[in-house]
């Protein structure tokens, strides 16, 4: 059972208007919904997303499959699924599960893609700048119910930008992401970033942290929902997107810069995680 508590899908002509409006074309809202799921309810999107999708778990929990990743989304966790991906969501054994869905797009959304797909934890607090996140969600639903006049849509999109910032840049607020508080995770990710041009083994990563492979893998997955090597692979693909966006390097050059000995394997890994080839991604950004 899936019940729409609140739902707003902006009409196509409104979305089209936002793509050319100087105040909204960089980042604009397409659809909002707050859904209530019963036990083991299934939602599956088999058609590649046309927009980016923010998923925020308010209550309960679910399993989420995105491309090759299968992760758990628990209360006060979120992730952003990039456009071009499909997903499958299965709610947990307890009810209700309440999820907030938000589809958005815009030219600046490409800049934010490095923050996408990784499931992150949020710690509610009255002392930080994102304590009003739920208030912002209510504000969007309330104002969208008032119609689509230019002034109202401008306000809605500025409000949405604020809301999105409370997720994407949560680590910049007062200790809002749990992973930031774990020195082991910080040290591991920092080591990965400093050696992104290498092909690291799990043992090498564990040796750097001073812990066993088993312990590191357990803690890392608990904090990030990914294994260390899977996370490292995501970092490489994220960096490759930056190279594709900001340089004229050839795909094989990018592959070697990121520690791939075989450019074909790099392209295959990129296709698996991003849903399109590196060349198609670069062309999409140009367009």
């Amino acid at each position: 059972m899936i019940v729409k508590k609140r739902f707003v899908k902006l009409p196509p002509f409104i979305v089209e208007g936002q793509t050319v409006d100087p105040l909204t074309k960089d980042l604009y809202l397409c659809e909002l919904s707050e859904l209530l799921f019963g036990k083991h309810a299934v939602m599956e999107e088999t058609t590649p997303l046309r927009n980016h999708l923010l998923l925020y778990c308010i209550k309960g929990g679910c399993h989420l499959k995105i491309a090759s990743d299968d992760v758990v989304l628990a209360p006060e966790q979120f992730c952003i699924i990039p456009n071009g991906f499909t997903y499958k969501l299965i709610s947990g054994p307890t009810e209700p599960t309440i999820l907030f869905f938000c589809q958005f797009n815009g030219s600046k959304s490409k800049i934010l893609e490095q923050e996408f797909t990784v499931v992150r934890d949020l710690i509610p607090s009255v002392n930080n700048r994102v304590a009003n996140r739920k208030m912002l969600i209510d504000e969007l639903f309330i104002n969208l119910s008032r119609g689509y006049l230019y002034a109202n849509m401008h306000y809605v999109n500025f409000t949405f930008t604020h809301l999105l910032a409370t997720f994407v840049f949560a680590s910049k607020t007062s200790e809002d992401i749990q992973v930031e508080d774990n020195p082991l995770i910080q040290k591991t990710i920092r080591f990965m970033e400093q050696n992104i041009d290498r092909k690291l083994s799990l043992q090498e990563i564990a040796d750097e942290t001073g812990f066993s492979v088993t312990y590191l893998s357990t803690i890392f997955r608990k904090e990030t929902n990914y294994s260390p090597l899977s996370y490292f692979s995501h970092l490489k693909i994220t960096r490759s997107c930056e190279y594709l966006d900001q340089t004229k390097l050839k795909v094989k050059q990018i592959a070697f810069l990121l520690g791939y000995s075989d450019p074909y394997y790099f392209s295959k890994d990129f296709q698996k995680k991003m849903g399109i080839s590196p060349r198609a991604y670069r062309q999409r950004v140009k367009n």
Side-chain angles (χ1 to χ4, degrees):
M1 178 190 72
I2 302 175
V3 177
K4 290 181 180 178
K5 294 185 65 181
R6 296 186 286 185
F7 176 75
V8 179
K9 181 179 177 64
L10 274 65
F13 74 93
I14 294 296
V15 174
E16 184 176 350
Q18 293 181 140
T19 66
V20 295
D21 188 322
L23 287 178
T24 59
K25 65 180 182 179
D26 291 335
L27 198 62
Y28 55 85
L29 189 61
C30 301
E31 184 177 311
L32 283 179
S33 58
E34 187 177 348
L35 306 184
L36 186 151
F37 293 75
K39 297 178 182 179
H40 305 298
V42 178
M43 173 180 281
E44 184 171 12
E45 182 59 68
T46 57
T47 302
L49 291 168
R50 298 183 63 182
N51 305 304
H52 305 299
L53 175 62
L54 165 68
L55 287 180
Y56 170 41
C57 184
I58 299 173
K59 185 177 182 180
C62 65
H63 285 272
L64 181 63
K65 184 172 180 60
I66 311 169
S68 61
D69 292 315
D70 191 356
V71 298
V72 174
L73 201 62
E76 295 302 330
Q77 286 189 326
F78 78 96
C79 73
I80 301 176
I81 306 175
N83 61 2
F85 279 75
T86 61
Y87 69 91
K88 183 176 182 179
L89 183 156
I90 304 174
S91 62
T94 59
E95 56 181 355
T97 289
I98 301 176
L99 298 174
F100 173 69
F101 292 71
C102 179
Q103 291 196 34
F104 65 96
N105 216 316
S107 58
K108 283 188 176 178
S109 63
K110 295 182 178 65
I111 301 174
L112 302 174
E113 286 185 352
Q114 60 181 333
E115 301 290 338
F116 292 1
T117 71
V118 178
V119 173
R120 298 183 184 272
D121 301 310
L122 299 166
I123 305 175
S125 170
V126 296
N127 298 318
N128 62 38
R129 288 176 283 165
V130 297
N132 61 347
R133 185 178 291 115
K134 291 182 175 63
M135 183 193 74
L136 290 171
I137 292 173
D138 290 339
E139 187 75 0
L140 288 174
F141 279 112
I142 290 170
N143 281 277
L144 284 170
S145 71
R146 294 172 177 166
Y148 305 119
L149 295 175
Y150 274 156
N152 192 46
M153 291 311 301
H154 288 161
Y155 175 74
V156 163
N157 278 290
F158 277 110
T159 302
F160 162 66
T161 300
H162 183 188
L163 174 65
L164 184 62
T166 70
F167 288 101
V168 174
F169 301 110
S171 62
K172 305 304 180 185
T173 63
S174 304
E175 298 181 347
D176 198 49
I177 291 187
Q178 288 178 348
V179 69
E180 297 293 333
D181 295 332
N182 191 319
L184 170 59
I185 303 303
Q186 286 183 307
K187 183 177 182 179
T188 304
I189 293 176
R190 186 162 54 248
F191 178 67
M192 292 176 180
E193 292 172 339
Q194 292 170 348
N195 292 274
I196 202 156
D197 59 335
R198 296 177 55 198
K199 183 179 180 180
L200 294 175
S201 68
L202 184 55
Q203 186 63 59
E204 286 178 294
I205 298 173
D207 289 344
E208 174 65 20
T209 64
F211 292 94
S212 69
V213 166
T214 301
Y215 180 79
L216 173 65
S217 298
T218 300
I219 297 301
F220 198 93
R221 183 175 288 278
K222 179 181 178 182
E223 294 284 0
T224 69
N225 281 294
Y226 291 90
S227 69
L229 289 182
S230 179
Y231 194 99
F232 187 44
S233 178
H234 276 289
L235 286 179
K236 286 177 178 287
I237 297 304
T238 296
R239 184 67 58 84
S240 73
C241 288
E242 294 177 10
Y243 284 135
L244 290 167
D245 287 345
Q246 301 169 16
T247 76
K248 294 183 179 180
L249 292 170
K250 295 180 179 179
V251 172
K252 66 178 181 180
Q253 290 175 305
I254 294 174
F256 294 141
L257 281 173
L258 293 173
Y260 290 88
S261 58
D262 184 351
Y264 172 76
Y265 180 76
F266 162 68
S267 295
K268 186 177 179 181
D269 195 28
F270 190 99
Q271 174 87 37
K272 182 179 180 181
K273 289 184 171 63
M274 296 299 295
I276 56 176
S277 69
R279 288 185 175 83
Y281 175 88
R282 172 171 272 168
Q283 189 61 42
R284 180 175 68 96
V285 171
K286 288 181 180 178
N287 292 335

